[in-house]
Amino acid sequence: MLAQIRLLEQLNALAKTDQHGFVRLRAPVDVTSLIGWLKAQPLYPRIYWHARERDREFAVLGAIRELTDPAQLAELTGQQRPDAGSYPRYYGGLAFDYQQPVTGEWQDFGQCRFVLPRIELIRQGNQTELVCNLWFEGANAEQEMAAARTALQQLQPEKTLRKYLPTQRERQDTPDKPRWMQWLSQVLQPEALKTIPKVVLSRRSTLTFNEPLEPWSLLASWQCAAPACFHIGFQFSPDSCFIASSPERLYRRQDRQLLSEALAGSTPRTGDPEQDAELAALLLQDGKNRLENRFVHTDILTRLDGLAETAVVSDAHILPLQHIQHIKREIEASLRPDTTDWQLLKSIHPTPAVGGSPRRKALAQIRALEQHQRGWYAGACGFISEDVSEFTVAIRSGLWHDQQLHLYTGAGILTGSDADTEWQELDTKLGSMLGAWHD
């Protein structure tokens, strides 16, 4: 790969100079599929990020630095611009309920895990670059150069992604439908609704296959089926991989400008344009779904108070996806000069779209009812840098391990909810992920 050779030449030239701090080497590269390139690499972690607008795509490898304590995220704001000319970008995620211990199948991911990668493949607009990152401090120059050289020498050409998906052998839902009905009978009691007017309950559907599943190929299939979504993948070791095809932005910050949104309230799509338009009109008029969306945008605006100088919310409109459509309102804000990404994350996340309202009581109810651990499902996944940060809410997501795939779906429960209808909504959302086996 020519870009690989050019970066090694830049690295050799760098060895003859005195360097300090963060350094970024870059070279143009020709790659067809960033997921196909990522899958071919022997390095870990492997991380993939594709923006919903389809104009920003990143595939990254290895780790120079790693943060696993959420409070460490505060250190990533207020940095001076490096001599490299661009700020370091940390990629990672924050668990849905990041204040609780993470165990079992989520141990690779933890409550919080962000990495500054050794290698980045960056596509922005029509330009694609291969990037090698280095960080010089103290007397580590020789060691850092050697580590960068080893990583570059290990890079492999991209692989063609297999379209083959193994046959599903078994499916187990947690909770099953009888337990779900019990849950909703409990949370929809009038006295319960007075205390917790909205709670989002989730289901884990565990699929077992007749042979190992390739998670990156599945993510590529999701990407083809739902191009208007964020597509993300995190693989910290060969043992497990978290992927998501999420329609929901938590926020995007560019300097002091913030974009967020309330995405809550949904109805299926049939594929018939006339019928889908009727369903969309009914969705916008439906009291229960409008209330569900109002919980979200009201909560975000309230939590931005003190962090933003101004904040406005748009009128409600429909976000159509392949199998489902949602009520959406955009939120725009101008942030105070001293507002950090960590302040934004701990204030906004998790929103009532995935947790409930009020937050503290809804989270307590989720912990009491749900027997599965959400981990990074409905977590905040994205990247942080001094000038630009962006996070998606990791819904419509799955955790892969060998011949098993855990798929996660959720539904907002509030006044007007019907247990059977909400169970069907979970199946509709699951169907959008299972479509890769049928489309």
Side-chain angles (χ1 to χ4, degrees), residues 205-425:
S205 297
T206 300
L207 311 183
T208 304
F209 299 93
N210 58 353
E211 58 186 289
L213 172 73
E214 173 43 60
W216 296 109
S217 296
L218 178 58
L219 180 60
S221 297
W222 286 358
Q223 191 172 60
C224 290
C229 288
F230 293 93
H231 299 97
I232 61 173
F234 292 87
Q235 187 172 17
F236 292 104
S237 75
D239 298 327
S240 60
C241 183
F242 178 66
I243 58 175
S245 177
S246 172
E248 186 172 357
R249 168 180 281 134
L250 183 64
Y251 75 82
R252 174 176 172 81
R253 177 192 60 77
Q254 186 150 9
D255 296 322
R256 298 291 90 195
Q257 299 305 304
L258 182 84
L259 294 177
S260 186
E261 64 193 32
L263 193 72
S266 60
T267 193
R269 294 190 74 195
T270 65
D272 177 82
E274 187 174 333
Q275 189 173 356
D276 285 345
E278 290 178 4
L279 288 169
L282 289 172
L283 178 61
L284 286 172
Q285 297 168 13
D286 182 72
K288 180 259 182 186
N289 282 288
R290 288 178 65 87
L291 177 61
E292 188 172 355
N293 189 274
R294 190 181 307 126
F295 274 120
V296 181
H297 72 73
T298 300
D299 184 81
I300 293 175
L301 289 173
T302 300
R303 293 180 181 278
L304 285 175
D305 187 34
L307 301 177
E309 294 176 343
T310 61
V312 294
V313 61
S314 72
D315 292 334
H317 59 95
I318 294 295
L319 175 68
L321 301 173
Q322 186 177 26
H323 297 280
I324 197 168
Q325 45 195 339
H326 299 281
I327 299 176
K328 179 183 175 185
R329 290 175 181 263
E330 285 94 2
I331 296 169
E332 296 186 25
S334 295
L335 299 173
R336 292 168 56 97
D338 56 346
T339 296
T340 68
D341 282 297
W342 172 231
Q343 288 175 312
L344 290 169
L345 284 168
K346 69 181 181 180
S347 295
I348 299 174
H349 172 69
T351 76
V354 292
S357 182
R359 179 189 292 177
R360 183 178 58 81
K361 291 181 178 179
L363 289 179
Q365 188 166 61
I366 290 168
R367 293 168 192 151
L369 291 176
E370 293 187 357
Q371 298 168 324
H372 59 279
Q373 191 170 75
R374 291 195 184 189
W376 281 24
Y377 161 65
C381 293
F383 61 85
I384 294 179
S385 67
E386 178 68 25
D387 50 351
V388 180
S389 298
E390 187 165 18
F391 287 87
T392 183
V393 182
I395 57 174
R396 317 293 149 76
S397 55
L399 178 65
W400 161 85
H401 176 73
D402 193 33
Q403 293 178 214
Q404 281 197 328
L405 178 66
H406 302 297
L407 295 176
Y408 299 85
T409 50
I413 311 303
L414 64 161
T415 299
S417 291
D418 173 77
D420 278 311
T421 302
E422 301 298 346
W423 182 264
Q424 182 58 50
E425 180 178 321

